[in-house]
């Protein structure tokens, strides 16, 4: 069943409002961003694996989204304290990935992303719910991919509101990653508002 992405951000925020570790929209949005980043990055890695015979992920196998996030309903998916402990290991691993100057940006960006990102949730059951919602996005569906732009615009508006309220935690790697993937340019007509918004987001909030 296709995911209703129009209300995805709201659904995730509603779940996280019940978590004692989350205080404010900026923290909720940061939670959404790191999970969505790993989901999208995993999908991109599938493309790179098909295009490059010798492609190797910079993310160790146990921590790749495909190997821990999916809940197949068998009761084996991590949740509760087990999931919280695993995500702590995940963050520590990704923050400390070995990188070199000659490494492709598409690999270096993972460490950069997590160096400035935090995991705030304290309820592992609620965290599992958040992961399940994001994992349900079908990145092979045109409708779902198109709706990612709507998610971006929603997050942008939320971040603008959070900035006016004095709370701001924009991971720089997120804006770099989106700009690198989308390559927006001033004057482009296709998805004009989104291109301009992305440039504005990168310039003002990175």
């Amino acid at each position: 069943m296709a995911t209703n992405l129009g209300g995805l951000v709201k659904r995730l925020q509603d779940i996280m409002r019940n978590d004692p570790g989350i205080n404010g929209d900026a923290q909720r949005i940061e939670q959404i961003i790191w999970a969505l980043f790993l989901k999208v990055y995993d999908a991109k890695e599938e493309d790179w694996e098909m295009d490059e015979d010798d492609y190797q992920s910079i993310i160790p196998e146990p921590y790749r989204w495909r190997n821990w996030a999916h809940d197949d309903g068998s009761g084996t998916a991590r949740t509760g304290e087990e999931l919280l402990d695993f995500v702590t290991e995940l963050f520590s691993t990704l923050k400390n990935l070995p990188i070199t100057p000659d490494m492709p940006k598409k690999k270096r960006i993972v460490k950069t992303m997590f160096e400035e990102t935090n995991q705030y949730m304290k309820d592992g059951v609620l965290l599992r719910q958040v992961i399940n919602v994001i994992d349900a996005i079908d990145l092979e569906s045109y409708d779902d991919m198109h709706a990612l732009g709507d998610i971006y615009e929603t997050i942008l508006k939320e971040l603008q509101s959070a900035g006016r309220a004095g709370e701001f935690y924009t991971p720089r790697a997120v804006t770099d990653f989106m700009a690198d993937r989308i390559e927006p340019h001033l004057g482009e007509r296709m998805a004009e508002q989104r291109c301009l918004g992305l440039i504005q987001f990168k310039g003002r909030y990175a």
Side-chain angles (χ1 to χ4, degrees), residues 139-200:
L139 295 179
E140 294 184 0
S141 163
Y142 173 80
D143 290 339
D144 281 11
M145 284 296 293
H146 181 71
L148 284 176
D150 296 329
I151 295 173
Y152 158 72
E153 289 183 351
T154 300
I155 290 175
L156 175 59
K157 290 176 183 177
E158 295 283 359
L159 283 171
Q160 288 173 330
S161 298
R164 288 194 294 270
E167 50 178 343
F168 214 45
Y169 309 93
T170 312
R172 182 178 300 276
V174 174
T175 58
D176 288 344
F177 182 73
M178 290 191 296
D180 182 65
R181 293 296 94 197
I182 300 174
E183 298 183 351
H185 301 284
L186 284 171
E188 290 182 342
R189 301 296 299 177
M190 185 180 74
E192 179 178 4
Q193 291 298 321
R194 287 173 186 159
C195 287
L196 290 175
L198 181 55
I199 293 169
Q200 184 182 49

Side-chain angles (χ1 to χ4, degrees), residues 58 96-103 107-109 111-112 115:
I58 190 174
N96 294 286
L97 287 171
I99 61 173
T100 59
D102 60 340
M103 186 176 289
K107 291 188 175 183
R108 289 186 283 114
I109 198 169
K111 179 175 182 176
T112 305
E115 282 179 332

Side-chain angles (χ1 to χ4, degrees), residues 26-58:
Q27 291 183 356
R28 280 188 280 271
I29 291 166
E30 188 167 343
Q31 290 285 145
I32 295 171
I33 285 173
W34 73 253
L36 189 58
F37 173 87
L38 288 178
K39 167 72 175 180
V40 174
Y41 192 82
D42 193 64
K44 291 299 299 180
E45 286 202 300
E46 290 182 356
D47 293 338
W48 298 330
E49 287 167 346
M50 288 180 20
D51 295 339
E52 304 173 29
D53 292 337
D54 58 347
Y55 178 80
Q56 292 184 342
S57 177
I58 190 174

